[in-house]
Amino acid sequence: MSQHLNLPPSDRPLHIPVLLNAVLDALSPEAGRVYVDATLGAGGHSEAILERLGVDGRLFGIDQDPAALKMATDRLLRFGSAFQPVAGNFSEIARLMPAQGLPITGGVLADIGVSSMQLDQAERGFSFSKQAALDMRMNPDSALTAAEVINTYSEADLLRIFSEYGEEHMSKTLAREIVIHRKAQPFETTLALANFIASQYKRVGKHEKIHPATRVFQALRIEVNDELGSLQRFLQSLPPLLAPGAKILIISFHSLEDRIIKDFFKTESKNCICPPRLPICQCHHQATLKLPKGQPIEATDAEIKMNPRSRSAKLRVAIRV
């Protein structure tokens, strides 16, 4: 029987990881297996998984944010060699994990999107309620910032990202007015942009239950960090990295992400993906995944009350065949 660690919880006050009980139930961590937390963040999910694994398990935590990687590494020091931090973007998992020399036998977890820790750091520029430079980079070494997007993209490109990534119903108006305004005064700060968007809503007499800048800020964050492209590359990389029986768990927070995950899982769970009109299979596609029933998994009322961020979270699970 494997020996399990009986370790005290970290005394560092950190955010509450979403859908934690659902993640642990679906992943069912087993000692002796190798796991990857592909979006380590503050390390909340990893901490709970490591507590289940004991001394015989191994978990690699990937994050592109140096500050998050250091914080989580400090938090998980008590697990010794069972935890290994890895610097990089989760979309690079095919390059990062072979370098570790171990196959992924247990599973991969990814909690997609900006972390509450990043939102709480005003200087990162993610929040429309805190004064900061328009940054929004999850990886501070990346070149593209939100200021560059908002001040240099064409009106057509702004319209596209506001519509596609923010599902903003005033995309056309906002793109046009932003281009006009920036000619005289470029947007440099979060509050300058948020207040301008709010003024456009007020000008046309529209009232929102959420802050008028919410969807535009989401769209900018997705563009700056190539979030949807990174997610697609991550998903495509996974099946060859997983041993049979290893699990994929992905938590998403808006419909664009969830649709990509759902479609990928559906495609990879089929032995044929030819158009229905073809009488004989010509694609020779073989299923790489099987899907448990009862998806997506969402937060309970009790969890939402304790952690409002979990309200929009959806967990999807797949198993390598």
Side-chain angles (χ1 to χ4, degrees), residues 73-115:
T73 300
D74 290 345
R75 178 181 187 173
L76 302 174
L77 276 176
R78 61 195 177 99
F79 295 102
S81 61
F83 171 71
Q84 178 66 50
V86 180
N89 186 285
F90 75 121
S91 67
E92 303 173 301
I93 190 170
R95 176 180 65 82
L96 297 172
M97 288 313 300
Q100 310 307 317
L102 291 173
I104 302 172
T105 57
V108 175
L109 167 69
D111 179 350
I112 308 300
V114 65
S115 74

Side-chain angles (χ1 to χ4, degrees), residues 43-181:
H45 287 111
S46 285
E47 182 175 51
I49 293 168
L50 285 162
E51 286 172 345
R52 294 282 186 96
L53 288 180
V55 295
D56 296 327
R58 194 75 181 272
L59 185 142
F60 295 90
I62 300 172
D63 208 288
Q64 64 180 333
D65 184 340
L69 196 65
K70 183 181 186 307
M71 178 182 290
T73 300
D74 290 345
R75 178 181 187 173
L76 302 174
L77 276 176
R78 61 195 177 99
F79 295 102
S81 61
F83 171 71
Q84 178 66 50
V86 180
N89 186 285
F90 75 121
S91 67
E92 303 173 301
I93 190 170
R95 176 180 65 82
L96 297 172
M97 288 313 300
Q100 310 307 317
L102 291 173
I104 302 172
T105 57
V108 175
L109 167 69
D111 179 350
I112 308 300
V114 65
S115 74
S116 55
M117 179 177 63
Q118 289 169 326
L119 287 173
D120 290 341
Q121 294 175 315
E123 67 273 14
R124 302 296 292 273
F126 288 105
S127 175
F128 48 76
S129 62
K130 299 175 182 178
Q131 178 74 311
L134 275 169
D135 193 320
M136 299 194 193
R137 292 174 296 175
M138 293 183 187
N139 180 352
D141 293 328
S142 297
L144 185 64
T145 67
E148 183 174 350
V149 173
I150 209 73
N151 289 310
T152 68
Y153 274 31
S154 68
E155 181 178 336
D157 283 338
L158 289 177
L159 170 59
R160 175 183 57 81
I161 68 168
F162 293 168
S163 299
E164 293 182 10
Y165 299 163
E167 299 177 301
E168 168 60 59
H169 46 264
M170 276 186 53
S171 293
K172 188 173 183 179
T173 297
L174 290 176
R176 182 184 68 243
E177 296 301 324
I178 284 171
V179 169
I180 293 171
H181 183 275

Side-chain angles (χ1 to χ4, degrees), residues 17-20 22-24 26-27 29 34-41 43-50 59-63 90 93 104 106-112 231 234-235 238 242 246-253 265 314-318:
V18 299
L19 297 173
L20 180 58
V23 165
L24 293 175
L27 191 61
V34 176
Y35 295 84
V36 178
D37 185 343
T39 52
L40 180 63
H45 287 111
S46 285
E47 182 175 51
I49 293 168
L50 285 162
L59 185 142
F60 295 90
I62 300 172
D63 208 288
F90 75 121
I93 190 170
I104 302 172
V108 175
L109 167 69
D111 179 350
I112 308 300
L231 175 58
F234 169 70
L235 290 169
L238 285 179
L242 300 176
K247 298 173 181 176
I248 303 171
L249 281 69
I250 307 183
I251 300 171
S252 62
F253 291 88
F265 281 2
K314 292 184 177 182
L315 169 64
R316 292 191 183 272
V317 182

